Amino acid sequence: SQKIEQNSEALNIQEGKTATLTCNYTNYSPAYLQWYRQDPGRGPVFLLLIRENEKEKRKERLKVTFDTTLKQSLFHITASQPADSATYLCALGGFPSGGSYIPTFGRGTSLIVHP
Amino acid sequence: DGGITQSPKYLFRKEGQNVTLSCEQNLNHDAMYWYRQDPGQGLRLIYYSQIVNDFQKGDIAEGYSVSREKKESFPLTVTSAQKNPTAFYLCASRIPGKRDGELFFGEGSRLTVL
């Protein structure tokens, strides 16, 4: 069955360092991958999209890579700040049965940036 | 400002009762979705609607029902048949015609069964 894996353990880093979060998947050939940020008790907010034919995308301090051979996406936050502390979700969309492109979400990884 | 409004934010229900969660959007999006989120789990799709008067079951539709009579509204009813309804419920919408378009989420409704 299709599986999306994000590290269940929280990632703790010091302010100013680069945070790297991982999203691995199996039994899936996604057409795209999205990253969202979720604060406690709030709805997720979209951050970045990367398509299957793209290797890397950047937006301000954010960078995402997509390796369809390794079946992995890495999400980087450079010069991290305490305000970046949140849970980050990856979501994959492709061609599941029925032809729907509805994204399927991982469980998310909590990032804690210490001042 | 355009967005998605979910209500109520917190809801308590006794066992055996049906409850309805409201989701309204003014983004003019055709597609709307309901997800359920439990601690330590990813978002799981309950129901989705690509257009008015049409909706489809997601991965965990049992014990839930929806309607889509208006483009702006996609209410979710949690019925007494849902065995473990305590969870955080998220409604979302998406720009039409974009297969890889991002989801716009509401702020969620937390349902607790007493």
Side-chain angles (χ1 to χ4, degrees):
Chain A
S1 62
Q2 297 165 350
K3 197 172 180 182
I4 302 172
E5 292 182 351
Q6 292 187 259
N7 197 337
S8 59
E9 289 186 12
L11 176 63
N12 286 271
I13 64 169
Q14 286 298 125
E15 184 175 6
K17 301 293 185 183
T18 296
T20 299
L21 305 174
T22 304
C23 177
N24 295 302
Y25 58 92
T26 55
N27 298 323
Y28 209 150
S29 295
Y32 66 87
L33 190 148
Q34 298 170 341
W35 283 89
Y36 291 78
R37 168 183 173 141
Q38 186 176 25
D39 291 290
R42 309 287 298 272
V45 175
F46 171 78
L47 296 174
L48 277 171
L49 160 74
I50 188 164
R51 297 183 176 92
E52 60 180 333
N53 60 347
E54 298 172 325
K55 296 293 185 186
E56 181 179 300
K57 274 282 192 66
R58 291 175 184 262
K59 179 183 177 183
E60 298 173 350
R61 294 185 296 113
L62 308 180
K63 184 179 85 171
V64 62
T65 63
F66 195 8
D67 189 326
T68 55
T69 301
L70 291 179
K71 296 187 180 297
Q72 180 182 79
S73 173
L74 299 178
F75 178 78
H76 306 273
I77 305 175
T78 59
S80 59
Q81 305 164 1
D84 295 326
S85 299
T87 296
Y88 292 85
L89 308 171
C90 72
L92 278 64
F95 301 86
S97 61
S100 170
Y101 290 82
I102 300 170
T104 301
F105 286 81
R107 66 176 60 185
T109 297
S110 175
L111 171 66
I112 303 169
V113 181
H114 299 275
Chain B
D1 283 325
I4 298 183
T5 302
Q6 289 188 240
S7 63
K9 188 159 180 68
Y10 299 96
L11 185 60
F12 298 90
R13 185 194 98 172
K14 293 182 181 178
E15 285 192 19
Q17 287 181 334
N18 293 354
V19 293
T20 297
L21 308 180
S22 170
C23 178
E24 302 279 332
Q25 55 102 355
N26 60 2
L27 299 169
N28 200 32
H29 291 172
D30 286 311
M32 296 185 74
Y33 311 84
W34 274 105
Y35 286 90
R36 169 181 172 143
Q37 187 174 35
D38 295 281
Q41 294 200 38
L43 278 64
R44 291 183 289 167
L45 184 65
I46 305 173
Y47 266 98
Y48 65 99
S49 169
Q50 305 280 44
I51 198 168
V52 174
N53 293 323
D54 184 60
F55 50 82
Q56 306 294 329
K57 292 182 179 180
D59 302 318
I60 56 165
E62 185 176 351
Y64 300 97
S65 66
V66 294
S67 63
R68 187 81 189 279
E69 298 176 0
K70 299 187 300 182
K71 187 175 186 177
E72 301 79 17
S73 180
F74 190 39
L76 173 74
T77 297
V78 185
T79 75
S80 57
Q82 168 50 233
K83 300 302 180 190
N84 185 20
T86 295
F88 189 50
Y89 291 88
L90 288 160
C91 179
S93 69
R94 187 152 79 166
I95 296 172
K98 284 189 67 176
R99 293 176 171 179
D100 54 17
E102 70 265 31
L103 296 181
F104 293 79
F105 284 90
E107 289 299 307
S109 292
R110 187 168 298 280
L111 172 63
T112 302
V113 173
L114 303 173

Short mmCIF file of all heavy atoms in Angstrom, two decimals, chain B residues 2-25:
data_model
loop_
_atom_site.label_atom_id
_atom_site.label_comp_id
_atom_site.label_asym_id
_atom_site.label_seq_id
_atom_site.Cartn_x
_atom_site.Cartn_y
_atom_site.Cartn_z
N GLY B 2 -10.89 36.93 1.45
CA GLY B 2 -11.40 35.62 1.12
C GLY B 2 -10.80 34.56 1.99
O GLY B 2 -9.66 34.68 2.44
N GLY B 3 -11.57 33.50 2.22
CA GLY B 3 -11.04 32.43 3.03
C GLY B 3 -12.08 31.37 3.30
O GLY B 3 -13.16 31.37 2.70
N ILE B 4 -11.71 30.45 4.17
CA ILE B 4 -12.60 29.36 4.57
C ILE B 4 -12.90 29.51 6.05
O ILE B 4 -11.99 29.67 6.87
CB ILE B 4 -11.93 28.00 4.32
CG1 ILE B 4 -11.67 27.83 2.84
CG2 ILE B 4 -12.81 26.88 4.83
CD1 ILE B 4 -11.07 26.50 2.48
N THR B 5 -14.17 29.43 6.37
CA THR B 5 -14.61 29.58 7.76
C THR B 5 -15.23 28.28 8.23
O THR B 5 -16.18 27.78 7.62
CB THR B 5 -15.64 30.72 7.89
OG1 THR B 5 -15.05 31.93 7.42
CG2 THR B 5 -16.05 30.88 9.34
N GLN B 6 -14.68 27.75 9.31
CA GLN B 6 -15.24 26.55 9.93
C GLN B 6 -15.86 26.93 11.27
O GLN B 6 -15.31 27.74 12.01
CB GLN B 6 -14.15 25.50 10.16
CG GLN B 6 -13.62 24.85 8.90
CD GLN B 6 -12.70 23.70 9.22
OE1 GLN B 6 -11.54 23.71 8.84
NE2 GLN B 6 -13.21 22.69 9.91
N SER B 7 -16.99 26.30 11.56
CA SER B 7 -17.61 26.51 12.87
C SER B 7 -18.39 25.28 13.29
O SER B 7 -18.86 24.52 12.43
CB SER B 7 -18.53 27.74 12.82
OG SER B 7 -19.59 27.52 11.91
N PRO B 8 -18.49 25.05 14.60
CA PRO B 8 -17.81 25.78 15.66
C PRO B 8 -16.35 25.35 15.76
O PRO B 8 -15.96 24.35 15.18
CB PRO B 8 -18.58 25.36 16.91
CG PRO B 8 -19.02 23.96 16.60
CD PRO B 8 -19.32 23.94 15.13
N LYS B 9 -15.54 26.09 16.49
CA LYS B 9 -14.14 25.72 16.65
C LYS B 9 -14.01 24.55 17.63
O LYS B 9 -13.16 23.69 17.47
CB LYS B 9 -13.34 26.91 17.16
CG LYS B 9 -11.84 26.63 17.16
CD LYS B 9 -11.04 27.91 17.16
CE LYS B 9 -9.54 27.60 17.16
NZ LYS B 9 -9.10 26.98 15.90
N TYR B 10 -14.85 24.54 18.65
CA TYR B 10 -14.86 23.44 19.62
C TYR B 10 -16.30 22.94 19.74
O TYR B 10 -17.25 23.73 19.79
CB TYR B 10 -14.38 23.90 20.99
CG TYR B 10 -12.96 24.41 21.00
CD1 TYR B 10 -12.69 25.77 20.90
CD2 TYR B 10 -11.89 23.53 21.09
CE1 TYR B 10 -11.39 26.25 20.89
CE2 TYR B 10 -10.58 24.00 21.08
CZ TYR B 10 -10.35 25.35 20.98
OH TYR B 10 -9.06 25.82 20.96
N LEU B 11 -16.44 21.62 19.82
CA LEU B 11 -17.76 21.03 19.91
C LEU B 11 -17.69 19.78 20.78
O LEU B 11 -16.78 18.95 20.61
CB LEU B 11 -18.25 20.67 18.51
CG LEU B 11 -19.66 20.14 18.36
CD1 LEU B 11 -20.67 21.17 18.85
CD2 LEU B 11 -19.94 19.80 16.90
N PHE B 12 -18.65 19.68 21.67
CA PHE B 12 -18.73 18.50 22.53
C PHE B 12 -20.02 17.76 22.20
O PHE B 12 -21.07 18.37 22.01
CB PHE B 12 -18.71 18.91 24.00
CG PHE B 12 -17.43 19.61 24.38
CD1 PHE B 12 -17.33 20.98 24.27
CD2 PHE B 12 -16.34 18.88 24.82
CE1 PHE B 12 -16.14 21.63 24.60
CE2 PHE B 12 -15.16 19.52 25.16
CZ PHE B 12 -15.06 20.90 25.05
N ARG B 13 -19.91 16.46 22.16
CA ARG B 13 -21.07 15.66 21.78
C ARG B 13 -21.20 14.47 22.71
O ARG B 13 -20.19 13.89 23.15
CB ARG B 13 -20.87 15.15 20.34
CG ARG B 13 -22.05 14.39 19.75
CD ARG B 13 -21.66 13.65 18.48
NE ARG B 13 -21.37 12.25 18.76
CZ ARG B 13 -21.16 11.34 17.83
NH1 ARG B 13 -21.16 11.70 16.56
NH2 ARG B 13 -20.91 10.09 18.15
N LYS B 14 -22.42 14.15 23.01
CA LYS B 14 -22.66 12.93 23.78
C LYS B 14 -22.72 11.76 22.82
O LYS B 14 -23.10 11.91 21.66
CB LYS B 14 -23.98 13.04 24.55
CG LYS B 14 -23.96 14.08 25.65
CD LYS B 14 -25.30 14.09 26.38
CE LYS B 14 -25.29 15.15 27.47
NZ LYS B 14 -26.61 15.20 28.16
N GLU B 15 -22.38 10.60 23.31
CA GLU B 15 -22.46 9.41 22.47
C GLU B 15 -23.88 9.22 21.97
O GLU B 15 -24.85 9.43 22.70
CB GLU B 15 -22.03 8.17 23.27
CG GLU B 15 -20.54 8.10 23.47
CD GLU B 15 -20.09 6.74 23.99
OE1 GLU B 15 -20.87 5.77 23.85
OE2 GLU B 15 -18.99 6.65 24.52
N GLY B 16 -24.00 8.84 20.70
CA GLY B 16 -25.31 8.60 20.12
C GLY B 16 -25.92 9.81 19.43
O GLY B 16 -26.98 9.70 18.82
N GLN B 17 -25.27 10.96 19.52
CA GLN B 17 -25.78 12.17 18.89
C GLN B 17 -25.10 12.41 17.55
O GLN B 17 -23.92 12.12 17.39
CB GLN B 17 -25.53 13.39 19.77
CG GLN B 17 -26.41 13.49 20.99
CD GLN B 17 -26.11 14.74 21.79
OE1 GLN B 17 -25.01 15.29 21.74
NE2 GLN B 17 -27.09 15.21 22.54
N ASN B 18 -25.86 12.95 16.62
CA ASN B 18 -25.28 13.44 15.38
C ASN B 18 -24.88 14.90 15.57
O ASN B 18 -25.57 15.64 16.28
CB ASN B 18 -26.28 13.37 14.22
CG ASN B 18 -26.63 11.96 13.84
OD1 ASN B 18 -26.06 11.01 14.35
ND2 ASN B 18 -27.59 11.82 12.94
N VAL B 19 -23.79 15.31 14.94
CA VAL B 19 -23.40 16.72 14.97
C VAL B 19 -23.00 17.14 13.56
O VAL B 19 -22.50 16.32 12.79
CB VAL B 19 -22.23 17.00 15.94
CG1 VAL B 19 -22.65 16.78 17.36
CG2 VAL B 19 -21.03 16.18 15.58
N THR B 20 -23.22 18.41 13.26
CA THR B 20 -22.87 18.93 11.93
C THR B 20 -21.84 20.04 12.07
O THR B 20 -22.03 20.98 12.85
CB THR B 20 -24.11 19.46 11.20
OG1 THR B 20 -25.02 18.38 10.98
CG2 THR B 20 -23.72 20.05 9.85
N LEU B 21 -20.75 19.90 11.32
CA LEU B 21 -19.70 20.89 11.27
C LEU B 21 -19.88 21.73 10.01
O LEU B 21 -20.06 21.19 8.92
CB LEU B 21 -18.32 20.22 11.26
CG LEU B 21 -18.06 19.19 12.36
CD1 LEU B 21 -16.65 18.61 12.22
CD2 LEU B 21 -18.26 19.80 13.73
N SER B 22 -19.79 23.03 10.20
CA SER B 22 -20.01 23.95 9.08
C SER B 22 -18.70 24.30 8.39
O SER B 22 -17.66 24.46 9.05
CB SER B 22 -20.69 25.22 9.59
OG SER B 22 -20.71 26.22 8.60
N CYS B 23 -18.74 24.45 7.07
CA CYS B 23 -17.59 24.92 6.30
C CYS B 23 -18.12 25.82 5.19
O CYS B 23 -18.90 25.38 4.35
CB CYS B 23 -16.81 23.75 5.70
SG CYS B 23 -15.42 24.30 4.68
N GLU B 24 -17.69 27.07 5.22
CA GLU B 24 -18.12 28.05 4.23
C GLU B 24 -16.87 28.70 3.61
O GLU B 24 -15.93 29.03 4.32
CB GLU B 24 -18.96 29.15 4.87
CG GLU B 24 -20.20 28.65 5.59
CD GLU B 24 -21.35 28.39 4.64
OE1 GLU B 24 -21.41 29.04 3.58
OE2 GLU B 24 -22.18 27.51 4.96
N GLN B 25 -16.90 28.88 2.27
CA GLN B 25 -15.77 29.55 1.62
C GLN B 25 -16.27 30.62 0.64
O GLN B 25 -17.32 30.45 0.02
CB GLN B 25 -14.88 28.52 0.88
CG GLN B 25 -15.60 27.65 -0.13
CD GLN B 25 -15.40 28.05 -1.57
OE1 GLN B 25 -14.78 29.07 -1.87
NE2 GLN B 25 -15.93 27.24 -2.49
#
